[in-house]
Amino acid sequence: MAAPLSVEVEFGGGAELLFDGIKKHQVTLPGQEEPWDIRSLLIWIKKNLLKERPELFIQGDSVRPGILVLINDADWELLGELDYQLQDQDSILFISTLHGG
Amino acid sequence: MCQVGEDYVDPPPRECPPAPRPGRGQKCVKCKEGKPVVAVRAGDAFCRDCFKAFYIHKFRAMLGKNRLIFPGEKVLLAWSGGPSSSSMVWQVLEGLSQHSAKRLRFVPGVVYVDEGAVCGQSLEDRAKTLAEVQQILCSISFPWHVVSLEEVFSLPPSVLRYCPQDLAGTEGAYKAAVDSFLQQQHALRAEGAKDVCGLAPGEEERCWRQSQDPHGPLSLAGSPTAAQTEALCRLFESVRTLTAKEELLQMLRSHLILHVARAHSYSKVMTGDSCTRLAIKLMTNLALGRGAFLAWDTGFSDERYGDVVVVRPMRDHTLKEVAFYNRLFAVPSVFTPAVDTKAPEKASIHRLMEAFVHRLQAQFPSTVSTVYRTSEKLAKAPRESCAEGPQGPRCLLCLCTLDIDAADSATAFGVQTSALSQMPPSTLQAEAGIPTTPCSAVGGGPGCCGKACGREGDSQPQVIKQLCYSCRANMKDLPSLDPLPPYILAEAQLRSQRAWVMQDIQEYLIKDSADEAETTES
């Protein structure tokens, strides 16, 4: 049983438009059986934060190609991408490099 | 590398991407010490400092190896507020600063085009964006020009003309320019003049005044009138597809930037196209029928306007690198929605190609670089039938050498064009609704051409005839050419009048032989 986590989720490059234009979200992830990883965070975001057009942010079980993910200001490719296990106080940043956000 | 034979016998299990990626324990590939923060290319992890050096070096190398920008030259940086162009402005700023090892020696200015009207921004939103833009512009010390897209309605028709420039961009010319620049610098230093970026002191002062006077026509040309905003919105609302809208916007924007560059004697314009963007553009333009102009549209330099050359110094940087650099080194940018913001993936060719390239890139990490390397190899030679040098006919809108073969009437396009010219003029006039202006108002002399004016009803086919294949296809999505800014229609009319006069003159020429006729023509 993983304890609840407090993480900062941030959106940039126009991705924030799908989240009511709010860039920074301080969120608390509830405790659950499995440890929290990016994969489950994305599902949580889709359910709780995403306001419209989920297909413009999430495709399959990952982010839409063209959206970069930074975990504590480091490339998620170096940290295991979807399998990265979230720690308390992590900051996750999604930057859209797509035209028009 | 040398053991080619062995490799063939037993292909070694390569460290392919699905294999464990460099984990958290890994070090930077460059300095072998720092903690890696960004993976560029497949698996190359850089630490913060090495990434910065790598990024800056790429920018300088791009400018250095092309040797197109002469010392002391005025260069206009086209800044949209987006990540790539912001990064470009910051690279130039950094390159010009005293403490950089090899200082850039050109004289930059920045232009920002406010496109809020066509991107669905309210007046308040636009004002807010402009305030942000100006705040950033004030923090950098370059002269700047803020123009709104509405100003296309007051552009002169001459924007659409090719202005040849005899200055050859040869190695010799570059060296000579560098030498004379250095001499000038020495002379200035001897006089004790404090020279900042290669300008004579007086000249510099003038630049400054431009940038700091918010009411001057040079920097902020006041807010556009409501009528202009409305006309612009009407034009864009009349366009049937998002693809054509995007193309129209790009075209109007480039005319406006060209005008600003010419008006303030900038001889180069730098745009912030990244290599990801250029790869997408290459595929998009192929789909749009602009294959003949790929080298201009996506190459390092674009000489289609003659006197003003567009260069793309960011073409070696991927969007990922740009985004990381801007984030890690706090490069400010302004986010503004574009025409296609929140549009579904299949809304336009641009959008579709972007998704296609990004998706391929996610699976095959060298997609973008492969496509982009192809763009580097494209030559700019026009088709043989159109090879009439710089004086040959050019597309009215994109100013590329015309790729339409008028004689080739067997193609679908030929059929379409002839169908257009066979339509009765009255229908066309009603359709186009072009006001019949007296031709003298457009530029002809007194009593210029009664004949040509009589033919004015044909303005739609007139315009269409002067377009390249791709621009013709785009204009098909405009139900009427009437809402187009006046400079386009005026230039079209001027060109066709010139053609008629030429034709009329031909009738009076005595043709002894084919040879002689040709010499008189030219």
Side-chain angles (χ1 to χ4, degrees):
Chain A
M1 175 80 186
L5 295 175
S6 170
V7 295
E8 186 187 75
V9 179
E10 195 181 338
F11 303 96
E16 68 271 19
L17 293 181
L18 302 173
F19 298 86
D20 267 351
I22 301 166
K23 286 190 167 180
K24 279 192 183 180
H25 301 253
Q26 193 69 44
V27 300
T28 308
L29 303 172
Q32 59 168 22
E33 286 298 313
E34 301 283 307
W36 280 99
D37 54 14
I38 299 289
R39 192 177 279 112
S40 48
L41 175 72
L42 285 176
I43 297 168
W44 186 89
I45 287 176
K46 192 176 173 182
K47 243 187 250 164
N48 296 283
L49 292 181
L50 201 53
K51 301 289 185 225
E52 53 181 320
R53 302 178 207 223
E55 75 281 1
L56 294 186
F57 186 72
I58 287 178
Q59 280 180 7
D61 64 349
S62 188
V63 287
R64 181 176 171 206
I67 294 180
L68 303 172
V69 185
L70 280 76
I71 302 166
N72 302 325
D73 273 347
D75 193 349
W76 76 327
E77 285 181 30
L78 301 169
L79 301 165
E81 302 196 7
L82 289 171
D83 297 322
Y84 171 79
Q85 288 197 3
L86 290 173
Q87 315 288 317
D88 199 34
Q89 303 307 323
D90 269 352
S91 85
I92 318 292
L93 166 65
F94 297 90
I95 304 178
S96 170
T97 63
L98 297 158
H99 193 248
Chain B
M1 234 199 256
C2 308
Q3 303 160 324
V4 182
E6 275 168 50
D7 279 356
Y8 274 107
V9 177
D10 180 24
R14 291 175 39 187
E15 302 148 59
C16 46
R21 295 239 175 195
R24 250 169 285 179
Q26 206 93 30
K27 297 283 183 206
C28 163
V29 290
K30 198 95 181 260
C31 64
K32 317 269 189 262
E33 278 174 10
K35 177 175 152 266
V37 291
V38 53
V40 296
R41 299 183 296 238
D44 277 359
F46 281 97
C47 70
R48 198 184 133 99
D49 292 340
C50 293
F51 174 62
K52 186 177 186 183
F54 161 83
Y55 192 91
I56 293 174
H57 172 77
K58 258 212 235 188
F59 184 80
R60 300 301 203 76
M62 185 47 81
L63 289 179
K65 90 175 172 210
N66 287 288
R67 294 195 159 193
L68 260 173
I69 296 174
F70 289 24
E73 195 170 7
K74 280 182 84 180
V75 176
L76 187 62
L77 309 173
W79 180 56
S80 69
S84 304
S85 58
S86 303
S87 216
M88 174 180 78
V89 171
W90 248 253
Q91 287 299 304
V92 172
L93 195 64
E94 160 124 13
L96 287 167
S97 70
Q98 293 291 344
H99 45 79
S100 73
K102 257 189 129 184
R103 271 173 57 195
L104 296 175
R105 290 177 294 196
F106 54 82
V107 184
V110 182
V111 62
Y112 175 83
V113 180
D114 169 22
E115 297 162 6
V118 296
C119 300
Q121 275 190 298
S122 67
L123 279 177
E124 296 87 72
D125 286 345
R126 289 179 68 180
K128 220 193 279 171
T129 309
L130 273 183
E132 260 182 86
V133 162
Q134 285 189 37
Q135 203 191 343
I136 294 180
L137 285 172
C138 289
S139 73
I140 49 180
S141 50
F142 304 155
W144 44 268
H145 316 269
V146 173
V147 290
S148 62
L149 195 63
E150 281 90 337
E151 282 171 51
V152 290
F153 285 95
S154 42
L155 283 182
S158 58
V159 174
L160 299 174
R161 273 170 230 159
Y162 172 83
C163 300
Q165 201 198 22
D166 42 21
L167 194 91
T170 57
E171 194 84 339
Y174 180 81
K175 280 195 179 129
V178 173
D179 287 345
S180 77
F181 176 78
L182 289 176
Q183 270 171 14
Q184 205 182 319
Q185 288 256 305
H186 271 290
L188 280 171
R189 222 161 276 152
E191 283 166 33
K194 261 178 115 188
D195 173 50
V196 179
C197 41
L199 276 176
E203 211 177 339
E204 194 178 342
E205 222 168 83
R206 195 166 49 81
C207 283
W208 275 100
R209 219 174 300 128
Q210 267 178 29
S211 62
Q212 280 164 351
D213 175 13
H215 304 294
L218 303 169
S219 55
L220 189 64
S223 46
T225 63
Q228 283 182 329
T229 309
E230 203 186 307
L232 191 66
C233 291
R234 205 174 334 119
L235 169 63
F236 274 84
E237 274 159 22
S238 78
V239 183
R240 289 197 205 98
T241 60
L242 189 59
T243 304
K245 233 181 240 187
E246 183 83 44
E247 285 294 296
L248 182 66
L249 174 61
Q250 276 182 28
M251 183 197 81
L252 294 179
R253 185 199 296 134
S254 60
H255 292 166
L256 199 53
I257 292 175
L258 174 66
H259 177 70
V260 172
R262 281 182 176 162
H264 302 286
S265 55
Y266 289 98
S267 45
K268 297 276 179 338
V269 172
M270 277 190 183
T271 62
D273 302 84
S274 63
C275 97
T276 315
R277 201 52 73 204
L278 285 174
I280 295 166
K281 197 170 178 185
L282 186 125
M283 302 299 286
T284 309
N285 285 2
L286 268 177
L288 288 173
R290 298 190 56 82
F293 315 127
L294 284 182
W296 281 274
D297 288 340
T298 63
F300 174 75
S301 66
D302 176 354
E303 299 90 357
R304 80 180 71 173
Y305 307 121
D307 53 344
V308 175
V309 178
V310 178
V311 289
R312 307 187 172 94
M314 297 296 287
R315 70 194 303 278
D316 245 358
H317 298 78
T318 63
L319 272 179
K320 180 178 177 182
E321 288 162 15
V322 170
F324 267 87
Y325 186 89
N326 288 1
R327 168 77 188 176
L328 294 175
F329 302 100
V331 175
S333 59
V334 182
F335 176 77
T336 44
V339 273
D340 57 356
T341 293
K342 288 197 203 170
E345 229 174 64
K346 289 173 187 156
S348 70
I349 293 180
H350 303 82
R351 205 72 181 160
L352 190 64
M353 280 301 177
E354 182 181 38
F356 170 67
V357 170
H358 275 298
R359 199 160 306 146
L360 263 184
Q361 172 75 13
Q363 289 162 30
F364 308 97
S366 38
T367 302
V368 164
S369 57
T370 309
V371 176
Y372 145 82
R373 296 271 169 236
T374 312
S375 77
E376 266 185 341
K377 297 188 181 85
L378 296 168
K380 289 176 183 163
R383 263 171 56 181
E384 210 143 291
S385 58
C386 329
E388 290 171 49
Q391 300 308 321
R394 284 169 178 269
C395 173
L396 181 68
L397 296 181
C398 68
L399 274 90
C400 287
T401 320
L402 272 188
D403 58 347
I404 296 287
D405 195 348
D408 187 10
S409 56
T411 60
F413 219 82
V415 172
Q416 190 193 342
T417 337
S418 56
L420 256 178
S421 52
Q422 277 161 18
M423 272 158 100
S426 54
T427 358
L428 281 162
Q429 196 165 13
E431 218 175 78
I434 307 269
T436 42
T437 39
C439 72
S440 54
V442 186
C448 145
C449 51
K451 210 172 173 186
C453 287
R455 295 184 218 172
E456 238 169 50
D458 310 5
S459 53
Q460 184 138 1
Q462 261 176 37
V463 174
I464 299 288
K465 247 187 247 169
Q466 298 174 26
L467 302 181
C468 66
Y469 176 81
S470 169
C471 291
R472 285 184 189 194
N474 275 323
M475 285 300 125
K476 275 202 293 187
D477 286 333
L478 254 75
S480 152
L481 300 182
D482 181 31
L484 280 178
Y487 72 99
I488 295 176
L489 301 172
E491 174 69 9
Q493 204 184 341
L494 217 67
R495 282 196 197 184
S496 17
Q497 277 171 9
R498 216 174 294 143
W500 282 321
V501 171
M502 280 294 282
Q503 218 173 16
D504 286 349
I505 292 173
Q506 291 296 311
E507 286 170 21
Y508 297 104
L509 291 176
I510 305 160
K511 285 172 201 156
D512 282 346
S513 68
D515 274 355
E516 218 164 291
E518 251 171 46
T519 22
T520 19
E521 245 176 77
S522 58

